[in-house]
């Protein structure tokens, strides 16, 4: 939904719905998404945070299916302005863990999938629209650094393709890289360095000019329009980023935020036997739940919650942030807390100086939350999240 002033559009990400085929995605758009729109944007168009798996994208290569998608968007009064191109394969009901990053940006399959999404979005987005397309932060971290030039080149190939799409369709598709703990790009500092060294450098602009058939000046002007970040608030909070400073660093480096994902993580101010026991309820087998521990200002990272809990009393006294998306309206979990305060800081900054044109609530974990944490249906919980964001922004 469009927010007042110049605060952009607010939606939620459809990766919360188990939909790995076009038929399942259609059912989501005509079922729970319709219910959410009726609750928060009954009389006005509703932006949808689309998600198309590789299988769904293949389904939509059929002209009849593609026409059906366009018809659903029109009839339901949706706006196709953002898409989650992060999870390539199945995302619910099976162990995902670090396989969620595969294929990563070292692989041709990731390039082809992203180009396919860009083509689809340029076809279904409103004329003249800017579309954000979020994607994996390069790769899972182990062994990824050596492939930085290769990953950057694949990303520049997508940018060149999007430049061509814009010339042909008038739709601007922006690739939005999403830093995440324990990945090649996990902190704002690492991300800025990658952009400066590999994506926005003079050498990169020469390469982009060659790929797109443009001049270097044209490439330099187009690059930030088609390439930037998806700033996931949960991920930044887990990394102990400073909300205002992280945004200032990105701004100073000229790295745009094309999508702002509104999310909250688990926070443990001080690890104790009681908090370890409480965290055990969140140690589930589907998703990767990275942990960043802080003791005396020093950060230690663990790739998943289970191994971190296995350290037992060795981590007592440390502060933990855990990459487990919890409903944004939840602040107090009794023994545990959340990073909702960080999200409030980000929203306060956005209200003063807009960070991104696309705001997307992204709590995809309703199916694996401990009992009672999010009462009601998924659409009821998502509606409550959107209303919470609207309430914070209106203050």
């Amino acid at each position: 939904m469009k927010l007042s002033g110049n605060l952009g559009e607010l939606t939620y990400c459809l990766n919360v719905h188990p939909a790995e085929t076009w038929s399942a995605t259609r059912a989501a758009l005509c079922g729970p998404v319709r219910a959410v729109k009726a609750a928060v944007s009954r009389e006005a168009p509703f932006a949808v945070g689309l998600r198309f798996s590789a299988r769904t994208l293949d389904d939509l290569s059929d002209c009849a299916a593609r026409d059906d998608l366009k018809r659903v968007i029109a009839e339901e009064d949706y706006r196709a302005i953002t898409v989650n191109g992060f999870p390539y394969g199945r995302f619910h009901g099976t162990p995902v863990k670090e396989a969620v990053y595969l294929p990563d940006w070292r692989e041709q399959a990731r390039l082809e999938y992203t180009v396919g999404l860009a083509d689809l979005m340029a076809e279904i987005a409103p004329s003249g629209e800017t579309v954000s397309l979020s994607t994996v932060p390069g790769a899972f971290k182990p062994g990824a650094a050596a492939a930085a030039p290769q990953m950057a080149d694949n990303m520049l190939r997508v940018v060149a393709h999007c430049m061509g799409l814009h010339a042909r369709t008038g739709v601007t598709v922006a690739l939005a890289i999403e830093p995440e703990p324990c990945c090649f790009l996990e902190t704002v500092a690492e991300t800025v360095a990658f952009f400066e060294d590999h994506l926005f450098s003079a050498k990169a602009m020469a390469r982009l000019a060659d790929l797109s058939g443009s001049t270097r000046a044209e490439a330099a002007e187009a690059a930030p329009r088609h390439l930037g970040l998806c700033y996931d608030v949960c991920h930044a909070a887990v990394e102990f980023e400073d909300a205002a400073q992280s945004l200032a660093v990105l701004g100073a480096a000229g790295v745009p935020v094309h999508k702002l994902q509104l999310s909250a993580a688990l926070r443990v101010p001080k690890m104790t036997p009681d908090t370890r026991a409480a965290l055990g309820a969140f140690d589930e087998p589907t998703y990767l739940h990275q942990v960043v521990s802080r003791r005396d200002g020093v950060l230690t990272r663990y790739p998943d919650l289970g191994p971190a809990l296995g350290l037992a009393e060795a981590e007592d006294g440390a502060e933990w942030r855990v990459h487990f998306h919890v409903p944004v309206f939840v602040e107090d979990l009794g023994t545990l807390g959340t990073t909702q305060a960080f999200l409030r800081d980000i929203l306060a900054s956005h209200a003063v100086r807009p960070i991104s044109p696309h705001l997307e609530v992204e709590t995809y974990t309703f199916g694996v939350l401990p009992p009672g944490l999010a009462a009601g249906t998924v659409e009821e919980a998502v509606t409550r999240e959107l209303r919470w964001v609207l309430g914070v922004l209106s203050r």
Side-chain angles (χ1 to χ4, degrees), residues 275-359:
T275 56
R276 282 201 305 278
L279 280 172
F282 294 88
D283 182 20
E284 58 82 35
T286 306
Y287 304 110
L288 199 63
H289 301 297
Q290 303 94 314
V291 176
V292 180
S293 168
R294 182 170 68 176
R295 190 194 300 269
D296 299 326
V298 177
L299 302 184
T300 304
R301 295 173 175 85
Y302 304 105
D304 206 355
L305 180 57
L309 287 173
L311 297 169
E313 65 272 7
E315 278 289 318
D316 280 359
E319 179 180 356
W320 274 21
R321 307 277 178 92
V322 183
H323 176 221
F324 194 119
H325 288 229
V326 295
V328 299
F329 51 77
V330 174
E331 182 177 17
D332 184 9
L333 295 169
T335 305
L336 307 175
T338 77
T339 60
Q340 189 196 81
F342 187 95
L343 176 55
R344 287 181 180 274
D345 288 344
I346 291 291
L347 289 171
S349 294
H350 181 77
V352 174
R353 179 177 296 178
I355 299 165
S356 174
H358 299 159
L359 281 66

Side-chain angles (χ1 to χ4, degrees), residues 362-378:
E362 200 221 9
T363 307
Y364 56 81
T365 50
F366 289 109
V368 297
L369 286 172
L373 186 51
T377 65
V378 169

Side-chain angles (χ1 to χ4, degrees), residues 52-74:
F52 302 113
S53 70
R55 180 178 173 184
T56 302
L57 191 60
D58 185 61
D59 290 346
L60 290 168
S61 64
D62 176 77
C63 292
R66 222 170 176 98
D67 288 343
D68 190 30
L69 168 61
K70 295 174 187 176
R71 184 165 51 251
V72 168
I73 290 172

